[in-house]
Amino acid sequence: MDNQELRPIPPKPGAPPTAELPQEAVAAPATEPSPRKRRRGASTFLKALFVAVLLGVAGGLVWLAVWLDSGAPESSGDGGSGVVEILPTPLATPLPLPREGVGPPDYRLGDCFKDFDPAALRSTVVACDTGHSAQLVAVFRYPAVGSYPGREALAAKALEACQAARLAPAANEYTLNFQRAYPSSTSWESGDRRVDCYVTADGGNVINASVLP
């Protein structure tokens, strides 16, 4: 609604003007909407604008929900939904190090191992700034409930964990390989739900730094 004010129409004279006054034709005033009609028109416009804004916001929310849903990982029917860990805690295996006789269930993301054998039931965890041959760089944890997925599914999940691992520039100073470890059907039944990804060096305990960021 504009800010112009309506001019009041002059009242009609009670008697015709005298003959001495010049006669002029009075044009009829232009028809203008009343203030009530102006307000009603502005109100309709504001309502339409409000509805348009609401529709735009609703459409944006629907698009955002679809986008988030399309980017979410799909859970498989074999119990494949779980959590991939690629960032270590400030301290992996607690100090003091080295620690001998550490079992796989107690391995922590970021741990470094001397003379590492992924099939061994016990390993020696050492400080990552001392000579070591392997480091745990990614872990996938299956849910506590669920049937044994099978070796092929576990191997594929371990590969996904290795592909998700983030390595620091220090990794470029060594010739490294990815090595995977996952539960057997027997260890699964005993509660083992971890799939591990390690980087290993073929030349023995030649790594002298953490390869994680």
Side-chain angles (χ1 to χ4, degrees), residues 112-117 126 128 130-135 173-177 179 199-209 211:
C112 295
F113 305 91
K114 180 180 179 180
D115 301 322
F116 182 67
D117 178 3
V126 299
C128 290
T130 63
H132 58 278
S133 62
Q135 184 173 5
E173 301 177 11
Y174 308 96
T175 301
L176 302 175
N177 302 303
Q179 195 159 357
V199 290
T200 61
D202 294 333
N205 300 310
V206 297
I207 311 173
N208 293 288
V211 298

Side-chain angles (χ1 to χ4, degrees), residues 127-156:
C128 290
D129 57 359
T130 63
H132 58 278
S133 62
Q135 184 173 5
L136 181 58
V137 296
V139 173
F140 180 87
R141 297 183 187 273
Y142 277 87
V145 295
S147 58
Y148 184 65
R151 294 187 60 182
E152 292 184 2
L154 289 169

Side-chain angles (χ1 to χ4, degrees), residues 28-206:
T31 303
E32 296 187 18
S34 67
R36 182 180 298 276
K37 289 183 179 180
R38 285 176 181 265
R39 286 196 293 268
R40 184 175 301 166
S43 177
T44 303
F45 172 76
L46 290 177
K47 287 180 181 178
L49 180 61
F50 181 73
V51 171
V53 170
L54 281 181
L55 291 176
V57 171
L61 291 176
V62 170
W63 176 87
L64 179 61
V66 172
W67 180 80
L68 290 175
D69 183 67
S70 64
E74 296 181 359
S75 60
S76 61
D78 60 358
S81 59
V83 178
V84 177
E85 301 173 13
I86 57 175
L87 296 177
T89 54
L91 287 177
T93 292
L95 299 175
L97 296 175
R99 293 185 65 192
E100 298 182 358
V102 181
D106 296 321
Y107 295 168
R108 299 191 184 185
L109 184 62
D111 276 350
C112 295
F113 305 91
K114 180 180 179 180
D115 301 322
F116 182 67
D117 178 3
L121 298 178
R122 295 287 184 272
S123 297
T124 300
V125 181
V126 299
C128 290
D129 57 359
T130 63
H132 58 278
S133 62
Q135 184 173 5
L136 181 58
V137 296
V139 173
F140 180 87
R141 297 183 187 273
Y142 277 87
V145 295
S147 58
Y148 184 65
R151 294 187 60 182
E152 292 184 2
L154 289 169
K157 191 60 67 175
L159 178 60
E160 290 180 18
C162 288
Q163 292 172 339
R166 300 177 184 176
L167 302 183
N172 298 326
E173 301 177 11
Y174 308 96
T175 301
L176 302 175
N177 302 303
F178 283 112
Q179 195 159 357
R180 297 169 285 170
Y182 44 84
S184 65
S185 58
T186 302
S187 63
W188 182 277
E189 292 301 326
S190 64
D192 184 4
R193 296 293 189 271
R194 269 182 36 177
V195 172
D196 295 333
C197 175
Y198 304 87
V199 290
T200 61
D202 294 333
N205 300 310
V206 297

